[in-house]
Amino acid sequence: MSKIKALDIQVGDRIIAYCNNKMQICTVRLIADLGQANVTLSVCTSEKYRSSVSRVVRFQREALVDLVN
């Protein structure tokens, strides 16, 4: 596991985020917004996109996020 700035996250990255009321591995499906204060991502909690529900997570642009290798 390594750290990455929220601003540098790309579609397909697997990150650890607070989703569904717990910390878990999420796959970035869409970068919804790169606003001035926040980065908004659409993520799924399963490796199978079709069987999972998308969630929205937000990070401050300079936040360090755990990237799963």
Side-chain angles (χ1 to χ4, degrees), residues 19-20 29 43-46 48-55:
C19 190
N20 295 335
R29 293 179 72 177
V43 300
C44 62
T45 56
S46 171
K48 297 179 181 177
Y49 290 155
R50 292 184 183 143
S51 65
S52 64
V53 177
S54 291
R55 302 284 184 219

Side-chain angles (χ1 to χ4, degrees), residues 1 5 9 15 24 28-30 34 38 55 63:
M1 197 170 350
K5 281 188 180 180
I9 293 173
I15 61 172
Q24 60 185 324
V28 178
R29 293 179 72 177
L30 174 71
L34 293 173
N38 296 314
R55 302 284 184 219

Side-chain angles (χ1 to χ4, degrees), residues 1-12:
M1 197 170 350
S2 58
K3 298 275 187 186
I4 186 173
K5 281 188 180 180
L7 189 58
D8 296 330
I9 293 173
Q10 297 178 4
V11 171

Side-chain angles (χ1 to χ4, degrees), residues 13-37:
D13 283 349
R14 296 178 68 220
I15 61 172
I16 296 181
Y18 189 76
C19 190
N20 295 335
N21 298 319
K22 62 183 176 180
M23 294 296 286
Q24 60 185 324
I25 295 173
C26 303
T27 302
V28 178
R29 293 179 72 177
L30 174 71
I31 299 171
D33 183 31
L34 293 173
Q36 288 190 353

